[in-house]
Amino acid sequence: MTTGAEAGRPTRLMSLGLVAGPILSMVDSSVVNLAVPDLTRELGRPLDVVQWAVSGYLLALAVGLGLTSYLARRFGLVPTYIGSLVLFTLASAACALSPDAGTLICCRALQGLGGAPLVPLAIGLLIGEGGAATGARGRVPLAAGLAFFAAPALGVSLGGLLIGAYGWRSIFLINLPIGLLALPGAFAAYRAGLGVRGDRAVRPDLPGLVLLATGLGLATYGVERVAAHGWATPSWPAGLALLAAYVLWARRRPRAALALDLVRDGARAATLALCAVSSVVLFAVLFLAPLYLQTIQHHSSLVTGLALLPQGLAMGLSAPLGQRVAERRSVRFAVVLGMVLLTVMTGLMALFTPDTPVWLTTLVLCGRGLAIGFTSQPLVISLLGGLAPERVPDANTLFSVAQRLAGSFGIALLVTFFTTRGAATGSPLTGFHETALVLAATALLGTLGATRLRLPQVS
């Protein structure tokens, strides 16, 4: 009798294990922001200290991303995934039990290190190497699509509910049952031989790892501090300089820490650029929409979270639909369709007023969610298309790094633009409208780029 995996499809238990990890990582990237006021009050430390519970996580997440590709090549996708999931779950328990701010910050850094590999490894196992093993390479289960795309919005909604009802420790405690439920599925994938191949002969590119991890960390940390300290902070230029040094170093290394040779193919480079553009438009609105609902319309954090949640669900539901359109027509057709819809729906945000009903705002955001699902899923398939299974971890890590850098810098630039225009015009609403138009123009540029999209070469 064959198992589900042997029959050509992953079992439900395995899918649960591979989907839960990314949910944990993506939710925790945003949820702690909501708890900062409570942390400041209960831990008795100033804001600039408590803020490190957020900054430390993002810093460690960036460093962990730099290590992901090497760990996956050395130990295999599933063993690395299991180790990361265990570290993240244990660190979550330690965060919930932290007696002071210093302990919390250290535990959050461990969370970031454990959480960094979960998203790229899960993508590789579900639509890359794992898909190849199950006869469904390039296809993502509906549950996975919902998880990957709904998680950022879910973090805001769930976080507000938990903090309001049970306090800040609950946002870490909720990770424990999810992590424990995910482990049996991850071990089932290991026993099925899914993504377990590693090469112990692989040696770390230590200079490259130092340049990449330090550069990503400094760039991410510096950009995250821009809103409070302005662009004069030296961290992000230093981070970009180190990343530039890494690029020069990696050009001479066939198996560098982050495989930049993948973007020598112009089609794959264009695909990665479109991924970055869609990430900027996505993550920026996760900043802009709460600001509009809370600052301009004066809604509560609970109403804001509930208004954002349907957008994430629309993203998840549209991902399989976008995948089918790409298969029946072409990747280019699906991406162009998604980018056009993204341009229109983002442009409609420039028509919002202080009296716009919440349901109408939610409807427009759902339209954006539908567009992102059409765009992101075919682009990921295109990025992985033609790659040998052993190259999938490299491509997934490259995708995650590009997405995080683009999202971080995009949000920082748009926050600066919004603040500047709001102050110049004396109207936050005007600043919001102009920022929405900038985002719509960015999506339009992505649409023009998508019309020239080609499938990457086999490598």
Side-chain angles (χ1 to χ4, degrees):
M1 181 175 177
T2 59
T3 65
E6 292 167 345
R9 52 187 168 81
T11 65
R12 292 181 180 178
L13 181 64
M14 290 162 56
S15 295
L16 174 64
L18 297 176
V19 165
I23 291 178
L24 292 171
S25 177
M26 289 187 284
V27 166
D28 266 62
S29 293
S30 57
V31 69
V32 179
N33 288 291
L34 301 174
V36 167
D38 297 76
L39 291 171
T40 303
R41 182 178 62 255
E42 292 190 26
L43 297 178
R45 300 303 301 271
L47 178 62
D48 59 343
V49 173
V50 172
Q51 188 64 33
W52 273 99
V54 176
S55 301
Y57 179 87
L58 295 176
L59 188 63
L61 197 72
V63 172
L65 275 176
L67 297 171
T68 297
S69 185
Y70 161 71
L71 292 174
R73 290 200 302 263
R74 175 71 185 258
F75 301 105
L77 271 70
V78 169
T80 304
Y81 181 88
I82 292 174
S84 299
L85 185 60
V86 169
L87 176 59
F88 187 94
T89 304
L90 292 176
S92 296
C95 286
L97 299 174
S98 296
D100 52 54
T103 305
L104 177 63
I105 291 167
C106 292
C107 295
R108 280 285 286 167
L110 290 175
Q111 255 196 328
L113 286 173
L118 294 177
V119 174
L121 292 179
I123 292 175
L125 288 162
L126 287 167
I127 64 177
E129 182 170 321
T134 60
R137 186 167 182 174
R139 299 191 63 85
V140 175
L142 175 60
L146 282 168
F148 291 157
F149 292 108
L154 180 65
V156 178
S157 304
L158 181 62
L161 290 170
L162 287 174
I163 294 169
Y166 303 107
W168 64 267
R169 296 182 190 273
S170 63
I171 63 177
F172 300 115
L173 288 173
I174 194 66
N175 293 338
L176 301 185
I178 299 175
L180 292 174
L181 286 173
L183 281 173
F187 278 110
Y190 179 82
R191 289 192 298 271
L194 193 64
V196 300
R197 295 189 304 273
D199 184 0
R200 296 304 174 92
V202 172
R203 294 291 180 264
D205 172 24
L206 289 178
L209 285 173
V210 170
L211 287 172
L212 179 62
T214 307
L216 284 174
L218 285 176
T220 303
Y221 169 72
V223 171
E224 194 267 334
R225 303 287 286 176
V226 162
H229 301 282
W231 288 94
T233 177
S235 301
W236 67 267
L240 290 182
L242 289 173
L243 290 176
Y246 172 76
V247 171
L248 295 176
W249 171 267
R251 289 176 62 185
R252 304 176 182 179
R253 301 295 185 282
R255 298 310 298 268
L258 185 65
L260 299 180
D261 63 297
L262 290 173
V263 295
R264 291 174 185 168
D265 175 8
R268 190 164 277 116
T271 300
L272 195 64
L274 284 173
C275 288
V277 169
S278 62
S279 296
V280 169
V281 181
L282 167 64
F283 290 119
V285 172
L286 289 178
F287 151 75
L288 275 179
L291 188 130
Y292 165 73
L293 290 165
Q294 292 180 302
T295 303
I296 297 174
Q297 291 199 321
H298 306 292
H299 290 297
S300 67
S301 58
L302 177 60
V303 171
T304 299
L306 292 176
L308 287 174
L309 182 57
Q311 175 184 222
L313 297 176
M315 292 178 196
L317 290 171
S318 67
L321 182 59
Q323 182 172 279
R324 292 191 188 97
V325 170
E327 291 171 351
R328 294 179 180 179
R329 298 294 297 270
S330 68
V331 169
R332 180 192 300 172
F333 180 85
V335 174
V336 169
L337 181 62
M339 294 301 293
V340 167
L341 184 58
L342 186 60
T343 301
V344 172
M345 288 298 171
T346 305
L348 287 176
M349 294 176 64
L351 302 178
F352 287 177
T353 71
D355 301 318
T356 299
V358 174
W359 67 264
L360 184 57
T361 301
T362 301
L363 187 62
V364 172
L365 293 178
C366 282
R368 292 187 70 264
L370 182 67
I372 289 288
F374 264 82
T375 304
S376 297
Q377 180 64 20
L379 284 174
V380 172
I381 293 173
S382 179
L383 184 67
L384 299 181
L387 286 178
E390 63 269 15
R391 300 307 312 274
V392 170
D394 297 330
N396 286 328
T397 305
L398 187 63
F399 167 77
S400 295
V401 168
Q403 185 182 54
R404 179 157 296 278
L405 283 176
S408 297
F409 275 92
I411 289 177
L413 287 168
L414 287 164
V415 167
T416 302
F417 180 81
F418 169 81
T419 304
T420 302
R421 294 304 300 157
T425 61
S427 170
L429 183 61
T430 300
F432 174 82
H433 286 163
E434 293 183 1
T435 305
L437 289 174
V438 169
L439 279 174
T442 303
L444 180 59
L445 289 175
T447 304
L448 297 176
T451 61
R452 302 178 63 84
L453 190 65
R454 297 181 292 109
L455 288 178
Q457 299 173 2
V458 175
S459 59

